[in-house]
């Protein structure tokens, strides 16, 4: 081990030393003869040899042996217990002038001081002393300030005469002949600890370890006890034999044995040094940091701490890093020098822990030191992807797994710290891997890139299940991460990397390559389809490029790229998608348009017109290819249903490409949308021969709920008579039924006039016309109906129609009369109310005063009258409200 202290013999006394005390570099000796001696300690020739110079020697200090002495330097006060009475003296005066005795302490055997420095509200620093005096089986507690001890605050009885005492924060620790006890300073209640020893011949010892903990002697051990709700024994320090006295000087504990002093440490528990040749020493007193006095009955020694740099050098050599840190903390060097030295020691400690395969502990130290992650990662050459010779220093097997696990925890914590610092906008020298000189965003980005890239490598070697979650939000270096993933065959994870980095082309190319690999996790088109669906409208050209092979090989799945119920898919430019499908995959246009219109409720006429056009082309293709009637019927049904139900296509535009030799029913529906009822009905009656369909057409127009009423642009751009014919569509149907086919079709323009006529339309159908007249009499104008009927129709045949028409006319007349009467009655009521309000008058004169502003109304004043009669200025209206 190393030498922490050096012992120097100082004095051979001619008197018998009974008590010692020290402060600064001064030593006081109290003797059995009642003498009091004061010495000053000084170094000789600037080396570690010391000598004492006698400052004062008072032979007549006391007639009795001096039992105990203590000094309060701040108050120049000496406390001395002699003849079982505690008194105070001036330490600076010649022969230590007597100040006063504390009469209540008569019979005292022991006292203990608790010295603290208190700062007042004015900023003045004052020494505050608590004093406990053991008087037989009583403990008296005093309060002292600026050299004055007040009447004791309280006292309490103890079970035996105390042998030793020490102050804590909330307790007073007392050692009796047989046991140790803690006394609560607020209540005096005792807490018994444990016996002082197995043999009652040993004296108890108490050493203050901290403000709230003690080292208590028990046989050949010192027990570390800490104040708490439940008193806890923290540690036990073993000695070769029961020590006579113990002194604590961080990080060392000094135990005075029969003829030597043993130096140990508590955390970690370690033997440091033996200081021999202290014959019959029995007293030990700590003067200041690095200086301890030891005395026997007739001799005095001093223990001086070895230079900190020399100690630290040996400690680092022996790899006792914590002790090196502790002595540096309590050294006299500057705060900045301490910080730098301790940091370097902790780094050495962390590296040593790593070499000892204590990887988790090592990483915790690196976290505490805010070590640059790059320096930590350098400890792992195993993570270097570069090929090379086998390095014996590389970790292997279980050691490698443990080390990588510790590194992962370290990197995750550092990553979190950096992220929090960036979020707060306050990266500083406490942020790992950054300092006050490297807080730019670029440096932070570089740190995160290194951390995430290393985490990726670690996960691939320990638990690759974490790779995907890391890559979904990563800062990895693309090229290095790509190379690593390819080396491990992690194609799915590589896709995630490309996506997060925005390299969609690379990702889609890889997906296309892997789709054909039989044993690949990316086999097939599903992964590509999903990827394309998530790209969004800003990458629509990329979607078109890489969806092509799926649309060719898997049309149904491929179409979902443009029709899935996903926000990104729905927000794609539908005109662009339509144009793409028309150019490259025309067979998928109809299902795409059907989805857009029927599922997404698209109202743009572009898509409705396009769907009609595609249906028409498909029907014509079926006809030319000679496909089955079922296919033609299915397409025809969809076209007719769409023409009838949709109100968003452009009739005048879609009708132009329709052929003149077929698709007559479809043309009739479109004509109806345009309000060309006569032409539509002519197709139903004379070309299709479907009178029932013509009647339903009229019913729909009359009810205003079908295609025949003329909606949208078709209604506006009809032939001029569309709306008028809409009211008398039954008359139009009757005229169509009563006219010869050639006359009726003359109204149809172009080659359609020469279309084949239905056989049942060869002759006028008077009977059907009369049936329509009877059934819909209330919806047909009698004058217009009679004008189209031939004069040969018997009047009796029209009896029912005329009666119904007359009854409707009478009913309408009566309703109009009733409505006229009601309106006239309402008119009279309004007129009466008007007369009532006009009959009210207000007389204004120069004495009228506004109740709001208390001013008179001038000749030009505008005013407001309220229903309650109040009249105010117009400008005061708002204030009254």
């Amino acid at each position: 081990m190393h030498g922490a202290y050096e012992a120097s013999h100082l004095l051979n006394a001619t008197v018998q030393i009974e008590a010692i005390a020290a402060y600064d570099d001064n030593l006081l000796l109290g003797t059995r003869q009642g003498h009091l001696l004061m010495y000053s300690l000084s170094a000789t020739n600037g080396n570690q040899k010391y000598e004492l110079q006698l400052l004062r020697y008072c032979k007549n200090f006391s007639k009795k042996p001096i039992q105990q002495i203590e000094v309060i330097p701040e108050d120049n006060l000496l406390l001395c217990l002699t003849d079982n009475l505690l008194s105070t003296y001036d330490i600076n005066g010649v022969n230590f002038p007597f100040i006063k005795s504390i009469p209540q302490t008569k019979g005292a055997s022991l006292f203990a001081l608790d010295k603290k420095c208190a700062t007042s509200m004015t900023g003045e620093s004052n020494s505050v002393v608590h004093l406990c005096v053991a008087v037989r089986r009583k403990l008296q507690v005093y309060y002292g300030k600026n050299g004055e001890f007040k009447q004791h605050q309280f006292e309490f009885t103890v079970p035996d005469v105390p042998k030793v005492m020490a102050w804590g924060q909330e307790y007073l620790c007392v050692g009796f002949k047989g046991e140790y006890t803690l006394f609560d300073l607020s209540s005096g209640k005792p807490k018994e600890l444990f016996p002082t020893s197995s043999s009652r011949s040993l004296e108890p010892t108490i050493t203050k370890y901290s403000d709230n903990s003690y080292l208590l002697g028990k046989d050949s051990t010192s027990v570390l006890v800490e104040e708490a709700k439940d008193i806890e024994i923290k540690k036990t320090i073993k000695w070769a034999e029961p020590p006579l006295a113990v002194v604590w000087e961080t990080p060392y504990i000094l135990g005075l044995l029969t003829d030597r002093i043993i130096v140990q440490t508590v955390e970690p528990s370690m033997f440091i040094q033996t200081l021999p040749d202290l014959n019959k020493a029995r007293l030990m007193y700590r003067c200041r940091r690095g200086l301890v006095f030891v005395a026997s009955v007739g001799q005095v020694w001093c223990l001086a701490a070895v230079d900190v740099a020399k100690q630290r050098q040996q400690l680092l050599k022996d790899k006792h890093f914590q002790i090196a840190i502790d002595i540096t903390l309590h050294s006299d060097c500057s705060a900045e020098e301490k910080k730098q030295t301790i940091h370097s020691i902790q780094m050495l400690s962390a590296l040593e822990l790593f070499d000892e395969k204590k990887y988790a502990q090592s990483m915790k130290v690196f976290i505490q030191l805010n070590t640059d992650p790059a320096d930590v990662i350098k400890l792992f050459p195993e993570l270097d992807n570069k090929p090379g010779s086998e390095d014996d220093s590389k970790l292997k097997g279980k050691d490698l797994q443990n080390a990588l696990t510790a590194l992962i925890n370290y990197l995750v914590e550092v990553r979190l710290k950096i992220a929090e610092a960036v979020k707060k906008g306050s990266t500083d020298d406490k942020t790992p891997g950054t300092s006050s000189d490297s807080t730019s965003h670029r440096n932070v980005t570089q740190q995160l890139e290194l951390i995430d890239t290393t985490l990726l490598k670690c996960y691939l070697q320990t638990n690759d299940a974490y790779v995907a979650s890391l890559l979904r939000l990563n800062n990895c270096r693309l090229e290095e991460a790509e190379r690593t993933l390819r080396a491990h065959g992690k194609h799915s994870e590589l896709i995630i990397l490309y996506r997060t980095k925005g390299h969609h082309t690379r990702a889609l190319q890889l997906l296309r390559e892997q789709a054909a690999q039989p044993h690949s996790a990316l086999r097939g088109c599903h992964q590509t389809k999903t990827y394309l669906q998530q790209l969004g409208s800003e990458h629509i050209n990329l979607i078109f490029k890489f969806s092509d092979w799926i649309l060719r090989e898997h049309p149904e799945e491929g179409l979902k790229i443009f029709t899935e119920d996903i926000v990104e898919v729905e927000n794609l430019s539908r005109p662009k998608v339509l144009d793409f499908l028309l150019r490259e995959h025309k067979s998928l246009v109809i299902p795409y348009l059907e989805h857009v219109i029927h599922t997404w409720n698209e109202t743009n006429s572009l898509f409705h017109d396009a769907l009609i056009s595609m249906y028409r082309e498909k029907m014509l293709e079926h006809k030319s290819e000679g496909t089955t009637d079922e296919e033609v019927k299915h397409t025809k049904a969809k076209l007719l249903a769409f023409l009838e139900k949709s109100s968003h296509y452009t009739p005048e535009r879609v009708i132009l490409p329709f052929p003149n030799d077929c698709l007559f029913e479809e043309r009739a529906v479109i004509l109806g949308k345009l309000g060309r009822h006569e032409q539509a009905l002519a197709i139903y009656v004379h070309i299709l021969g479907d009178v029932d369909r013509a009647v339903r057409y009229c019913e729909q127009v009359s009810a205003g709920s079908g295609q025949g009423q003329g909606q949208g642009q078709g209604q506006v751009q009809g032939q001029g008579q569309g709306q008028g014919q809409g009211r008398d569509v039954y008359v139009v149907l009757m005229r169509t039924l009563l006219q010869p086919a050639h006359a009726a079709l003359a109204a149809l323009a172009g080659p359609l006039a020469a279309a084949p006529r239905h056989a049942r339309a060869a002759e006028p159908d008077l009977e059907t016309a009369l049936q329509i007249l009877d059934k819909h009499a209330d919806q047909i104008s009698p004058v217009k109906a009679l004008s189209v009927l031939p004069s040969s129709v018997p009047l009796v045949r029209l009896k029912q129609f005329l009666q119904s028409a007359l009854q409707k006319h009478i009913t309408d007349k009566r309703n109009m009369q009733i409505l006229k009467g009601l309106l006239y009655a309402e008119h009279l009521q309004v007129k009466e109310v008007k007369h009532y309000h006009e009959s009210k008058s207000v007389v204004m004169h120069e004495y009228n005063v506004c109740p709001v502003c208390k001013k008179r109304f001038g000749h030009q004043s505008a005013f407001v009258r309220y229903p309650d009669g109040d009249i105010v200025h117009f400008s005061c209206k708002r204030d009254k409200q």
Side-chain angles (χ1 to χ4, degrees), residues 560-621:
K560 292 180 181 178
I561 297 171
F562 306 104
T563 60
E564 199 83 73
D565 289 332
I566 299 173
V567 174
E568 291 82 2
V569 174
E570 289 192 42
N571 290 335
L572 290 177
S573 173
R574 295 172 188 175
K576 290 184 179 180
V577 175
L578 176 59
D579 180 65
F580 167 69
L581 293 176
L582 283 169
R583 285 186 288 106
E584 304 295 337
H585 303 279
K586 197 170 184 179
S587 62
L588 298 175
V589 171
I590 289 178
Y592 173 72
L593 289 171
E594 288 176 341
H595 182 88
V596 166
I597 294 171
H598 301 317
T599 304
W600 289 344
N601 301 316
E602 176 62 67
T603 59
N604 191 328
S605 60
L606 170 68
F607 300 97
H608 290 252
D609 292 352
L611 183 57
I612 293 171
S613 177
M614 294 304 298
Y615 281 148
R616 185 194 70 245
E617 290 184 14
K618 188 174 181 180
M619 288 188 66
L620 294 175
E621 288 175 3

Side-chain angles (χ1 to χ4, degrees), residues 203 205 217 219-222 239 241-246 254-257:
E203 294 292 326
T205 60
D219 295 328
S220 298
T221 61
S222 291
W239 305 96
E241 59 185 75
L244 302 174
V246 176
L254 290 73
L256 175 59
L257 277 56

Side-chain angles (χ1 to χ4, degrees), residues 397-457:
K398 188 175 181 181
D399 289 340
L400 177 59
Q401 292 297 310
N402 293 338
L404 290 176
T405 300
L407 178 62
I408 288 170
N409 294 333
Y410 163 79
L411 292 174
V412 168
E413 188 166 349
V414 172
R415 189 177 192 252
L416 180 61
K417 284 188 175 182
I418 295 178
E420 290 177 351
V422 170
K423 185 177 180 181
K424 295 177 181 177
S426 60
T427 51
D428 53 29
D429 57 357
K430 293 184 179 179
T431 304
T434 66
S435 66
S436 57
D437 298 326
S438 59
T439 58
S440 68
H441 177 72
R442 181 178 180 183
N443 282 332
V444 170
T445 301
Q446 290 174 348
Q447 291 292 342
L448 291 173
E449 285 179 353
L450 175 63
I451 289 170
D452 282 9
T453 304
T454 306
L455 273 173
L456 173 63
K457 296 177 181 178

Side-chain angles (χ1 to χ4, degrees), residues 235-253:
K235 196 162 183 70
T236 300
I237 298 94
K238 295 183 179 181
W239 305 96
E241 59 185 75
L244 302 174
V246 176
V247 165
W248 167 249
E249 186 175 56
T250 309
Y252 302 120
I253 179 171

